[in-house]
C-alpha cells in the first residue's frame, strides 16, 4: 500500500512509519515538526519514504501530494491532550482538531483514497457511570476541550461513512506509554518513571482513579490492522484500542514504578483540578473479537523499558522533555 500519515514525525507516527516501511509499504509523511524531525532522519534515504513539511491548517493536503496513488490516510496530526488544547484555546484547538480533520478527509475522498484511519481517544468517555466498564456504545461524557474536539471529528467521520467511498476507521486509544523514535514524557507511565529516576519523588493526585494503558507499539499494530482488514469488518466502526489487562488505578501504577525504580518517595494529595478527569475501566472485546487484536507489551514491561532507556541515555530527549513539560501536573 501507499499510506499517507499526517503527524508522522510524532510519538505514534514515527513508529508507524518504521513498521510500515519494514513491511514493504510506501509511506508519505506530512508534518509541521513542532517537536523536530529527528524521529524521521533514519528513513530519509529509504526509496519508499517521502516527507512534506506543512501545517495542514494553512495548506491543503491536495496541494502538497498527488493523492491519486494513495491507498490510505492515517490522520494523527492534532493538538494532543487537554493541557495543550487548554493552552491554545477553543478556536485554535477546534481549527486543528476538527476543521483540519474535515479538510484532510475531504481531500482524501475527492482523490479516491479508499481508507481513512482516525486517531481518537478514550478520554471521550469521561467519568464512567456507576463504575461500569465502558464499551464503544457507552455514552460520551467529555471532561475536556480535547475530548470535545475528538468527539466532533468522530461524529463528522461516522456521518460520512454512510455514503463515502473513503472508508473511515476510528480508534479510541487508551493512555499510551513506552519508547518510540519521538518519545513523550507527558504521559502518566512515562512521566512517573522519568520523575522517579530524576527526582526520586512522585506527587500523586486522584490515586484511586482508574485508567487504561496501551503501549505505543501495540497502538501501531492496531492501526496497521485497521489499514489491512476487510472493509466490511472495520468500515465506519469505532474501536477501543488496548486490553482489559491494561486497566489500572494510578495507585497500582505507582506500586509498579516503585517495584522497578528503587528509593522513590511517594506523596499523595487530595486535590481536584479541571481538565481530563477520567475514572474508567474499558472493555476491548470488540477489537479482540473482530480483529483478533491483543496487546503484546504489558504495563510492567513498559515501565522497565522506559527506565532502561532513560538510565542508559538511549532517550536523549528525556531531560529536555521534562523541562518542556514542567507545567504539567503529575496526575
Amino acid at each position: 500500500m501507499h499510506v499517507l500519515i499526517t503527524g508522522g514525525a510524532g510519538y505514534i507516527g514515527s513508529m508507524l512509519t518504521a513498521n510500515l516501511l519494514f513491511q514493504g509499504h510506501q509511506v508519505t509523511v506530512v508534518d509541521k515538526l513542532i517537536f523536530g524531525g529527528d524521529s524521521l532522519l533514519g528513513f530519509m534515504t529509504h526509496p519508499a519514504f517521502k516527507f512534506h513539511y506543512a501545517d495542514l491548517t494553512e495548506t491543503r493536503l491536495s496541494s502538497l501530494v498527488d493523492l491519486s496513488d494513495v491507498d490510505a490516510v492515517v490522520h494523527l496530526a492534532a493538538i494532543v491532550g487537554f493541557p495543550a488544547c487548554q493552552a491554545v484555546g477553543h478556536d485554535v484547538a477546534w481549527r486543528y482538531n476538527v476543521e483540519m480533520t474535515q479538510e484532510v478527509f475531504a481531500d482524501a475522498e475527492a482523490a479516491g483514497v479508499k481508507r481513512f484511519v482516525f486517531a481518537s481517544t478514550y478520554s471521550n468517555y469521561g467519568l464512567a457511570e456507576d463504575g461500569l466498564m465502558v464499551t464503544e456504545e457507552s455514552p460520551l461524557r467529555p471532561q475536556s476541550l480535547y475530548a470535545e474536539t475528538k468527539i466532533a471529528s468522530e461524529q463528522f467521520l461516522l456521518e460520512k461513512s454512510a455514503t463515502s467511498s473513503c472508508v473511515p476507521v476510528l480508534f479510541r486509544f487508551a493512555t499510551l506509554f513506552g519508547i518510540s523514535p519521538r518519545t513523550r514524557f507527558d504521559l502518566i507511565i512515562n512521566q512517573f518513571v522519568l520523575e522517579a529516576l530524576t527526582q526520586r519523588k512522585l506527587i500523586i493526585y486522584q490515586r484511586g482513579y482508574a485508567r487504561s494503558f496501551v503501549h505505543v507499539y501495540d497502538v501501531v499494530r492496531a492501526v496497521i490492522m485497521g489499514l489491512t482488514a476487510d472493509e466490511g469488518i472495520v468500515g465506519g466502526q469505532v474501536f477501543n484500542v488496548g486490553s482489559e489487562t491494561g486497566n489500572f488505578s494510578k495507585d497500582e501504577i505507582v506500586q509498579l514504578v516503585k517495584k522497578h525504580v528503587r528509593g522513590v518517595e511517594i506523596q499523595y494529595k487530595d486535590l481536584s483540578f479541571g481538565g481530563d478527569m477520567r475514572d474508567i475501566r474499558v472493555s476491548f472485546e470488540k477489537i479482540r473479537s473482530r480483529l483478533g487484536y491483543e496487546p503484546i507489551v504489558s504495563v510492567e514491561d513498559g515501565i522497565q523499558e522506559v527506565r532502561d532507556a532513560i538510565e542508559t541515555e538511549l532517550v536523549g530527549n528525556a531531560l529536555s522533555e521534562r523541562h518542556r513539560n514542567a507545567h504539567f501536573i503529575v496526575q
Side-chain angles (χ1 to χ4, degrees):
M1 294 183 295
H2 181 185
V3 181
L4 185 145
I5 308 171
T6 70
Y11 185 43
I12 300 170
S14 56
M15 183 170 279
L16 177 61
T17 296
N19 280 267
L20 287 172
L21 290 173
F22 179 77
Q23 293 181 14
H25 302 293
Q26 182 179 347
V27 178
T28 297
V29 166
V30 179
D31 201 293
K32 188 181 178 181
L33 302 182
I34 293 176
F35 298 102
D38 288 357
S39 62
L40 299 178
L41 291 178
F43 313 131
M44 293 304 292
T45 58
H46 196 295
F49 176 78
K50 292 182 180 178
F51 172 75
H52 296 273
Y53 173 86
D55 182 336
L56 290 176
T57 66
E58 300 175 354
T59 304
R60 292 297 292 250
L61 184 62
S62 55
S63 70
L64 288 172
V65 182
D66 179 5
L67 293 170
S68 63
D69 72 339
V70 172
D71 299 295
V73 170
V74 179
H75 186 49
L76 302 174
I79 296 175
V80 179
F82 85 87
C85 284
Q86 290 299 114
V88 300
H90 178 276
D91 291 349
V92 174
W94 206 263
R95 177 74 183 108
Y96 274 88
N97 289 5
V98 181
E99 293 174 8
M100 182 170 65
T101 300
Q102 295 169 348
E103 292 168 3
V104 171
F105 181 85
D107 286 352
E109 181 182 40
V113 175
K114 296 301 183 183
R115 194 159 300 188
F116 189 93
V117 175
F118 178 67
S120 193
T121 173
Y122 82 129
S123 294
N124 295 354
Y125 297 116
L127 298 170
E129 184 176 3
D130 299 325
L132 298 175
M133 187 170 286
V134 297
T135 72
E136 290 83 355
E137 304 303 319
S138 296
L140 303 181
R141 297 185 175 91
Q143 304 292 307
S144 67
L145 173 59
Y146 174 57
E148 290 172 4
T149 65
K150 286 298 185 179
I151 291 171
S153 287
E154 283 189 8
Q155 291 172 341
F156 166 80
L157 292 171
L158 290 173
E159 289 172 2
K160 287 291 185 180
S161 70
T163 57
S164 179
S165 60
C166 183
V167 176
V169 183
L170 286 64
F171 287 123
R172 291 177 184 155
F173 301 143
T175 299
L176 276 71
F177 65 91
I179 300 299
S180 91
R182 216 299 287 179
T183 302
R184 288 174 57 188
F185 287 97
D186 59 328
L187 299 162
I188 288 178
I189 290 177
N190 292 0
Q191 185 177 355
F192 279 8
V193 175
L194 177 61
E195 297 290 342
L197 286 169
T198 57
Q199 298 186 4
R200 299 294 167 179
K201 177 190 291 187
L202 290 176
I203 301 175
I204 310 299
Y205 303 89
Q206 302 166 344
R207 62 183 293 182
Y209 274 39
R211 293 200 179 189
S212 190
F213 299 90
V214 64
H215 193 278
V216 60
Y217 174 66
D218 286 318
V219 163
V220 165
R221 291 177 52 244
V223 169
I224 293 175
M225 287 181 177
L227 290 169
T228 57
D230 289 343
E231 177 182 331
I233 297 175
V234 297
Q237 295 296 314
V238 178
F239 296 93
N240 295 330
V241 178
S243 169
E244 287 83 1
T245 59
N247 287 328
F248 287 86
S249 70
K250 289 183 181 178
D251 204 28
E252 290 169 335
I253 294 297
V254 168
Q255 297 309 311
L256 286 175
V257 172
K258 284 182 64 178
K259 177 180 176 181
H260 295 288
V261 182
R262 301 297 183 183
V264 180
E265 176 188 351
I266 308 298
Q267 295 182 7
Y268 295 100
K269 293 191 176 181
D270 293 324
L271 175 67
S272 296
F273 54 91
D276 198 2
M277 301 283 287
R278 274 171 286 172
D279 184 16
I280 50 176
R281 293 187 181 271
V282 184
S283 169
F284 301 95
E285 171 59 28
K286 183 176 180 179
I287 194 170
R288 182 167 52 248
S289 61
R290 295 205 183 185
L291 296 179
Y293 172 85
E294 286 282 3
I296 293 172
V297 186
S298 71
V299 165
E300 187 163 7
D301 288 342
I303 288 171
Q304 295 175 77
E305 171 193 86
V306 175
R307 177 203 62 193
D308 293 346
I310 295 171
E311 287 186 333
T312 60
E313 300 187 11
L314 185 63
V315 185
N317 65 337
L319 292 179
S320 62
E321 283 293 325
R322 175 173 169 264
H323 176 73
R324 189 204 306 272
N325 296 304
H327 63 285
F328 292 142
I329 296 177
V330 177
Q331 52 176 299

